[in-house]
């Protein structure tokens, strides 16, 4: 553990020196990011998955819409990263004004299969409801045609709630095969 912190400190100092020598990006910062082992749903330009990220000493994890250049996220693992964070001079319309580049993957550890987390199943506003659940009782349910949902005895309840509500959250755990196991739903 002590070795990891020493390596982290050396890497941070080295990265700061290289960043300090660069004239083309004076606004860059070297920051640490923690990334959760599960993805959640969100609406950006379209329905999408996002990761939950905590930057530096921030006590809260936040939805992270951006990508990290040079980093390949794998569902089921918690990560600690060191990244270069810089402002984009002319960001694309509806795009991020911040650019993240991987400097070092400090750790990659299997995520908890007992931790509970919330995921939007349906989100509505202004008379339009976006539904993140795909499939049916025959083919099985998934989030955005990607992550399987084990809804056990709650499958019929999900169908009913998705039809009747425009703001529905599911509370899940994650199996080791990355199936999301539904524990309960909450109507907002």
């Amino acid at each position: 553990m002590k070795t990891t912190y020493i390596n982290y400190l050396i890497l941070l100092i080295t990265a700061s020196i290289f960043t300090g020598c660069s004239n083309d990006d004076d606004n860059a910062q070297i920051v640490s990011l923690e990334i959760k082992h599960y993805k959640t749903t969100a609406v950006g330009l379209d329905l999408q998955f996002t990761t939950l990220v905590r930057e530096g000493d921030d006590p809260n994890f936040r939805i992270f819409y951006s990508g990290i250049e040079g980093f390949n996220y794998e569902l089921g693992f918690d990560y600690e990263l060191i990244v270069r964070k810089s402002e984009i001079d002319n960001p694309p319309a509806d795009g991020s004004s911040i650019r993240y580049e991987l400097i070092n993957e400090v750790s990659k550890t299997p995520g908890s299969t007992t931790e509970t987390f919330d995921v939007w199943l349906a989100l509505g506003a202004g008379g339009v409801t976006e539904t993140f659940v795909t499939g049916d009782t025959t083919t099985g349910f998934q989030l955005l045609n990607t992550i399987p949902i084990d809804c056990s005895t709650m499958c019929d309840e999900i169908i009913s709630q998705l039809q009747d509500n425009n703001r529905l959250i599911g509370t899940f755990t994650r199996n080791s095969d990355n199936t999301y196991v539904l524990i309960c739903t909450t109507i907002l």
Side-chain angles (χ1 to χ4, degrees):
M1 187 73 145
K2 185 176 181 181
T3 304
T4 301
Y5 289 111
I6 291 171
N7 289 341
Y8 172 77
L9 183 60
I10 291 169
L11 179 64
L12 193 59
I13 291 169
T14 304
S16 296
I17 290 169
F18 285 118
T19 301
C21 295
S22 173
N23 292 330
D24 61 340
D25 201 358
D26 293 333
N27 62 4
Q29 298 176 305
I30 304 303
V31 297
S32 63
L33 296 180
E34 280 183 66
I35 302 176
K36 291 300 241 173
H37 60 92
Y38 58 88
K39 289 190 171 196
T40 190
T41 53
V43 178
L45 294 175
D46 201 0
L47 302 181
Q48 66 187 64
F49 284 113
T50 59
T51 53
L52 290 173
V53 173
R54 176 169 50 198
E55 183 177 321
D57 294 331
D58 189 336
N60 300 311
F61 281 87
R62 302 188 191 289
I63 291 176
F64 189 72
Y65 287 92
S66 299
I68 300 169
E69 292 178 28
F71 173 64
N72 292 314
Y73 175 86
E74 188 177 344
L75 188 65
F77 290 91
D78 288 321
Y79 293 89
E80 290 181 46
L81 307 176
I82 304 297
V83 300
R84 177 185 169 115
K85 177 182 175 183
S86 56
E87 292 181 26
I88 298 173
D89 288 335
N90 296 309
D94 295 328
S96 177
S97 63
I98 307 278
R99 176 180 177 189
Y100 294 88
E101 299 170 85
L102 179 67
I103 293 173
N104 185 38
E105 185 177 297
V106 176
S107 69
K108 175 183 178 181
T109 56
S112 170
T113 55
T114 58
E115 176 182 5
T116 60
F117 54 92
D118 293 334
V119 175
W120 283 105
L121 301 177
L123 183 58
V128 176
T129 299
E130 302 289 0
T131 302
F132 300 98
V133 177
T134 55
D136 55 41
T137 53
T138 304
T139 62
F141 291 103
Q142 295 180 326
L143 287 171
L144 297 174
N145 292 315
T146 305
I147 299 174
I149 299 173
D150 176 354
C151 54
S152 188
T153 60
M154 299 179 67
C155 295
D156 290 335
E157 183 179 330
I158 284 181
I159 294 168
S160 172
Q161 289 179 338
L162 286 171
Q163 292 170 350
D164 297 338
N165 299 287
N166 66 359
R167 297 177 65 82
L168 182 64
I169 291 177
T171 300
F172 294 89
T173 59
R174 184 190 54 78
N175 277 341
S176 59
D177 69 354
N178 289 325
T179 298
Y180 283 14
V181 180
L182 183 63
I183 297 170
C184 67
T185 57
T186 304
I187 299 168
L188 298 180

